[in-house]
Amino acid sequence: MAILVTGGLGYIGSHTVVELINNGFEVIIVDDLSNSEKFILYNIEEITGKRPIFYPFDLRRKELLTQVFDAHQIEGCINFAASKAVGESQLKPVDYYENNLFSLINILQEFKERGISNFIFSSSCTVYGQAETMPIDENTPLKMPESVYGKTKQMGEEILIDFAKAYHRKISLLRYFNPIGAHSSALIGELPIGVPNNLVPYVMQTAAGIREKLSIWGDDYPTEDGTAVRDYIYVVDLAKAHVKALQKLINDNSDEALIDIFNLGTGNGSSVLEVVKAFEIANKVEVPYQICERREGDITVAYANVDKAEKELNWKSETSLEEALRTVWQWQKYLESKNS
Ligand code: UDP
């Protein structure tokens, strides 16, 4: 069964491709390499023993996408391809809406015309904003996100729900909390392109001496140590959830629409300081930091209730924060050896 994975050379995409191949799926990757690199394809092959079919183009190029659907018997899609820098999205809203939504709609046109079902969408806990109560379950009311990036995720969800209802298709909206870590082989991970915005890549580069100091954005939040709390989920655990979500859609034999929504996290919150300490302990390195003002738009606390994924997907996160952070450091060592 061939599964189209858009953005399959990206961070979460590449880990998911590995898990799909490990589970016997044939994978077709479309990725424009705007935030990824070709060597990831070869490293996927090194890990799995199989090189996925790869098409390097931008999904807004509908005519090329049509050719891919003509050439393969595609039975489902996991859509990772999207621009994802929150700050940049505020500066380039039109580009973000165009890239993230046009590419989604182009795939859905093919699905609609060819009668294909089984669509998995990379969504984000950003759709909840600052929730009133913790942990966040799937019934927590949504809030219109502040960032354009977040809005493209929420709009993508709406488009897919309408698609599923109108054409009786099966979709799964996966709301990720904070993905971290790299594959245990250290052959794939999050590529450090530019100055990292996210916490763990920044911690990694600070420990490696690439950055002088980590800035901790605020220690006056109403949390135990004053720093903000998130739910950091190991990327390989997250990738495995995609395979389970896909299998659930495939195994559903009804002719009705199926709209699955799952929060994917560990169920535990960790503060910024806890992450820094865990990184230091796991890797026996020092992470110099300074406390700074809060970052605009940041929420105080977010962690998931993962009961639904556990019950319906038979999935839960298996990897501890420290273990995940060890893989981050191995990945950094790999990048250093590659560049030397
Ligand atoms: N953070 C920080 N310094 C950084 C990057 C992030 O203190 O250089 C904090 C940030 O304020 C937030 C947490 O780490 O509380 C997670 O931030 P990230 O950008 O990784 O994810 P998100 O804000 O999307 O949850």
Side-chain angles (χ1 to χ4, degrees):
M1 186 174 270
I3 303 298
L4 173 66
V5 182
T6 72
L9 297 185
Y11 176 40
I12 306 169
S14 58
H15 290 85
T16 301
V17 166
V18 166
E19 296 308 318
L20 285 169
I21 295 172
N22 287 344
N23 281 275
F25 287 96
E26 186 191 340
V27 174
I28 294 155
I29 295 174
V30 175
D31 191 309
D32 68 357
L33 298 169
S34 59
N35 202 18
S36 56
E37 288 188 35
K38 188 83 184 279
F39 82 85
I40 296 289
L41 183 71
Y42 308 129
N43 287 9
I44 289 172
E45 182 178 9
E46 203 174 322
I47 296 169
T48 63
K50 276 201 181 137
R51 186 183 305 178
I53 298 164
F54 170 54
Y55 293 98
F57 67 84
D58 183 325
L59 288 157
R60 286 172 295 181
R61 299 194 56 190
K62 177 82 161 59
E63 72 288 0
L64 295 181
L65 188 62
T66 300
Q67 286 173 19
V68 172
F69 276 86
D70 283 342
H72 303 278
Q73 193 69 36
I74 291 173
E75 317 237 11
C77 172
I78 307 184
N79 184 33
F80 293 103
S83 305
K84 61 171 187 179
V86 174
E88 186 187 53
S89 77
Q90 298 303 94
L91 303 172
K92 299 179 173 175
V94 176
D95 298 336
Y96 267 65
Y97 288 123
E98 187 193 336
N99 192 32
N100 293 2
L101 298 179
F102 281 22
S103 54
L104 171 64
I105 288 167
N106 282 345
I107 306 165
L108 292 182
Q109 289 281 13
E110 297 294 335
F111 265 52
K112 184 193 79 178
E113 283 159 23
R114 297 168 195 263
I116 308 171
S117 200
N118 309 324
F119 195 101
I120 295 190
F121 182 63
S122 282
S123 191
S124 164
C125 66
T126 185
V127 298
Y128 298 113
Q130 178 59 72
E132 308 292 334
T133 53
M134 289 298 136
I136 300 171
D137 68 23
E138 291 80 357
N139 296 318
T140 301
L142 304 188
K143 288 190 182 147
M144 187 44 97
E146 286 187 22
S147 75
V148 170
Y149 160 76
K151 285 178 194 164
T152 66
K153 290 294 170 195
Q154 211 175 90
M155 289 173 189
E157 287 197 358
E158 295 292 334
I159 291 167
L160 278 161
I161 290 169
D162 290 337
F163 164 81
K165 283 182 186 161
Y167 307 112
H168 305 275
R169 307 296 166 88
K170 297 167 207 172
I171 63 157
S172 197
L173 310 176
L174 303 183
R175 295 177 178 157
Y176 313 148
F177 281 66
N178 292 54
I180 59 162
H183 193 262
S184 58
S185 63
L187 289 168
I188 56 174
E190 189 166 13
L191 283 179
I193 298 174
V195 181
N197 288 306
N198 292 117
L199 177 64
V200 171
Y202 208 104
V203 166
M204 174 181 99
Q205 292 200 353
T206 306
I210 301 167
R211 312 277 158 211
E212 199 189 324
K213 256 184 207 164
L214 167 74
S215 297
I216 294 185
W217 308 122
D219 71 346
D220 57 351
Y221 283 103
T223 61
E224 228 158 86
D225 63 23
T227 62
V229 168
R230 299 286 186 277
D231 185 339
Y232 296 92
I233 167 87
Y234 180 49
V235 66
V236 175
D237 290 340
L238 188 62
K240 289 177 179 168
H242 290 72
V243 177
K244 298 228 170 176
L246 180 65
Q247 283 164 337
K248 180 172 183 293
L249 297 186
I250 292 168
N251 292 337
D252 183 287
N253 292 322
S254 93
D255 295 328
E256 300 300 309
L258 175 61
I259 298 166
D260 276 342
I261 301 179
F262 294 108
N263 285 350
L264 299 178
T266 65
N268 299 310
S270 305
S271 74
V272 177
L273 275 173
E274 281 170 344
V275 171
V276 172
K277 295 291 160 218
F279 191 94
E280 290 184 326
I281 291 167
N283 300 310
K284 301 184 180 62
V285 287
E286 211 191 321
V287 180
Y289 66 84
Q290 59 188 354
I291 305 293
C292 301
E293 294 288 298
R294 292 181 182 192
R295 184 169 70 178
E296 208 186 308
D298 267 357
I299 56 170
T300 304
V301 49
Y303 54 94
N305 176 324
V306 288
D307 292 352
K308 189 171 175 219
E310 191 171 347
K311 207 164 106 205
E312 295 188 25
L313 296 180
N314 190 24
W315 171 88
K316 65 176 186 210
S317 112
E318 292 166 350
T319 310
S320 70
L321 179 63
E322 275 190 28
E323 271 173 83
L325 293 173
R326 260 196 291 279
T327 66
V328 173
W329 195 230
Q330 285 154 7
W331 170 239
Q332 171 61 25
K333 297 283 159 212
Y334 170 77
L335 291 172
E336 281 170 16
S337 70
K338 198 171 172 296
N339 293 331
S340 66

